[in-house]
Amino acid sequence: MKQIFALALAASAVTASAADFKLPVFETTMLPNGLTVYLMERHEVPIISVRAVVKAGAVNDGPQAGLSNLTGDAILLGSQAHNKAAIDEAFDFRGGAISGGSGTEQSSVQANFARKDIPVLLPLFAELVQQPSFDEKELDKLVGRKMNVLRQAKESPRQVAGTYYRAMLFGPAAYGNPVGGTVNSLGALKQADVQGFHQRFFRPDNAAIIVVGDFDPAEMRRQVETLFGQWRAEGPSPQRADYGKVVADKPRVWLVNKADAIETTFLIGGPGVARNDPDYVPLQVLNTVLGGRFTSWLNEELRTNSGLSYGANSSFNPLSQTGTFSVFSFTAQPKTEAALDLAHKTYDRLFTKGIDKATLDSAKAYVKGQYPPRFETSEQLAALLGDMYALGVSREQIDNFMRDVDSVTPERAKLLIGKHFPRQNLQMVMVGKAEAIRGIAAKYGEVTELEITADGFTPKP
């Protein structure tokens, strides 16, 4: 049943060509209680995707790392009127799907189901968002599973290197908080903590309800108002704070020791851009050349030409207020020095040689071809509207994407590289056998050593 549902979602693809891609028309309203509502009609298939987005995530955890992430997952444990088994059965029986979670700056609950099931499943969705039960026994089991996931992740450096990197770049600022928390921080969380987080942040004046798909707009407006119009907020609304800036005043290396490692995993970089930065789209073109596709410079040099790695890439990772940039790869321990040297040399090519027109044209064609398929299904469009709400992404950035891609010339590329790609005071995280690579790490900056077996992702005092 779920497979059929997934195929139906895929069948709802937007048919517009890359050259004329625009975000479909949608309606935005605000209920008297402060809840933002987005409605986007799409009648290709009789399916809807509904999403609740809350402006709360790891940046709001404070000293309780992982609290937002646990709350986002625990919402699915049942409502005050229906337990988890009843809700799971209701969605499974009708071929629907429901999920939840929380990231750095937003939490969400997402459901997909057939139009005919709106009267049954939309009220259950509303219950979970507004009145989750946070059943204590189920919550304890969830905490145990998440703690095991964290323990297992530290056995795979590629899974945790990015968390160390974020912690290194932002230090004690909110953007440095580990989204999933730590084993110790999760173990200390209780039902009251999750209930308190939900009460503080899951409120109508800090949330949006997004519905995309096959529905009658007047009827859907009525149902949303009925189901969410009585949602009330208590206390002052959450205020957006300064979540931090990247610290890169000198070259630094965090060397994370994994004594049994046979590989070295590394990230190199520094500050990036916010999601709503006017240069965000052109930078996707430039990063495609450097490390954003299989035929990128980094992958060709470190994988194809030298055989030093099975893969290398680079990426801008935007947030609402700022962002990070990183070059990522991994290599066999004896090849660590050669791989790092080649990664630095390849990256420096951006500044010393620039990007010629033929290479830019190839990257622009690739980026334009990849863009429309990212927003084909109702679920993808609902997620995009959620990002627009939570991260402040403008509709103009979406609608002008193709124009902004085409605007990149070799001359403009040079200016953008100098402005946004960090060159001085590069920051690096290396995860591997410290005894074997300590001397190599020292070539690249001031070294701080950490043990991967220690709880968390920051140096111990």
Side-chain angles (χ1 to χ4, degrees), residues 372-401:
R374 293 166 52 190
F375 308 120
E376 290 181 338
T377 69
S378 294
E379 183 174 3
Q380 290 171 324
L381 286 165
L384 174 61
L385 292 177
D387 285 345
M388 292 172 67
Y389 170 75
L391 303 179
V393 182
S394 68
R395 174 165 189 156
E396 288 72 26
Q397 187 188 88
I398 310 301
D399 286 346
N400 296 329
F401 186 93

Side-chain angles (χ1 to χ4, degrees), residues 75 313 344:
I75 281 177
N313 61 67
H344 279 86

Side-chain angles (χ1 to χ4, degrees), residues 146-168 176-183 254 256-258 265-267 328 429-432 450-458:
K146 292 174 78 67
M147 290 169 68
N148 285 333
V149 168
L150 285 175
R151 293 187 186 100
Q152 292 168 5
K154 288 219 173 183
E155 293 299 317
S156 177
R158 295 178 215 172
Q159 291 188 39
V160 296
T163 306
Y164 283 105
Y165 185 67
R166 178 82 68 85
M168 176 191 188
N177 294 344
V179 171
T182 74
V183 172
W254 274 17
V256 184
N257 179 41
K258 189 174 189 301
T265 301
F266 60 87
L267 292 100
F328 168 84
V429 164
M430 298 171 63
V431 186
L450 302 82
E451 289 290 335
I452 201 167
T453 54
D455 186 62
F457 302 90
T458 57

Side-chain angles (χ1 to χ4, degrees), residues 149-397:
V149 168
L150 285 175
R151 293 187 186 100
Q152 292 168 5
K154 288 219 173 183
E155 293 299 317
S156 177
R158 295 178 215 172
Q159 291 188 39
V160 296
T163 306
Y164 283 105
Y165 185 67
R166 178 82 68 85
M168 176 191 188
L169 293 185
F170 289 107
Y175 273 143
N177 294 344
V179 171
T182 74
V183 172
N184 289 350
S185 69
L186 281 177
L189 295 177
K190 305 299 181 185
Q191 183 190 53
D193 298 315
V194 173
Q195 291 170 332
F197 189 91
H198 183 271
Q199 183 177 2
R200 289 194 303 276
F201 295 104
F202 282 68
R203 44 189 289 156
D205 56 355
N206 194 45
I209 299 298
I210 301 160
V211 186
V212 180
D214 185 26
F215 57 83
D216 175 82
E219 176 62 18
M220 183 55 68
R221 279 193 295 272
R222 185 192 67 78
Q223 291 195 57
V224 170
E225 291 172 3
T226 298
L227 293 171
F228 293 95
Q230 301 307 309
W231 194 6
R232 292 289 176 261
E234 297 181 10
S237 60
Q239 299 299 307
R240 302 286 277 180
D242 181 351
Y243 298 141
K245 298 290 187 294
V246 171
V247 177
D249 55 343
K250 58 185 174 182
R252 296 182 298 155
V253 180
W254 274 17
L255 175 56
V256 184
N257 179 41
K258 189 174 189 301
D260 62 349
I262 60 174
E263 289 184 341
T264 301
T265 301
F266 60 87
L267 292 100
I268 308 164
V273 297
R275 181 63 180 83
N276 60 352
D277 191 286
D279 294 331
Y280 171 80
V281 173
L283 289 175
Q284 306 313 301
V285 178
L286 305 186
N287 186 67
T288 294
V289 174
L290 175 65
R293 62 178 174 179
F294 188 79
T295 56
S296 68
W297 290 353
L298 285 167
N299 201 57
E300 285 194 335
E301 291 297 335
L302 273 81
R303 175 191 168 107
T304 307
N305 297 340
S306 68
L308 290 171
S309 174
Y310 283 116
N313 61 67
S314 62
S315 61
F316 283 93
N317 299 290
L319 301 159
S320 70
Q321 299 176 8
T322 183
T324 65
F325 169 79
S326 62
V327 169
F328 168 84
S329 192
F330 54 93
T331 189
Q333 180 190 295
K335 299 179 180 179
T336 298
E337 188 167 17
L340 283 171
D341 286 348
L342 185 56
H344 279 86
K345 180 180 178 181
T346 304
Y347 178 53
D348 201 51
R349 186 170 150 194
L350 274 179
F351 306 96
T352 58
K353 295 187 178 180
I355 305 175
D356 61 45
K357 184 177 184 301
T359 302
L360 269 181
D361 288 345
S362 173
K364 289 193 285 188
Y366 176 86
V367 170
K368 290 167 69 173
Q370 293 290 310
Y371 191 68
R374 293 166 52 190
F375 308 120
E376 290 181 338
T377 69
S378 294
E379 183 174 3
Q380 290 171 324
L381 286 165
L384 174 61
L385 292 177
D387 285 345
M388 292 172 67
Y389 170 75
L391 303 179
V393 182
S394 68
R395 174 165 189 156
E396 288 72 26
Q397 187 188 88

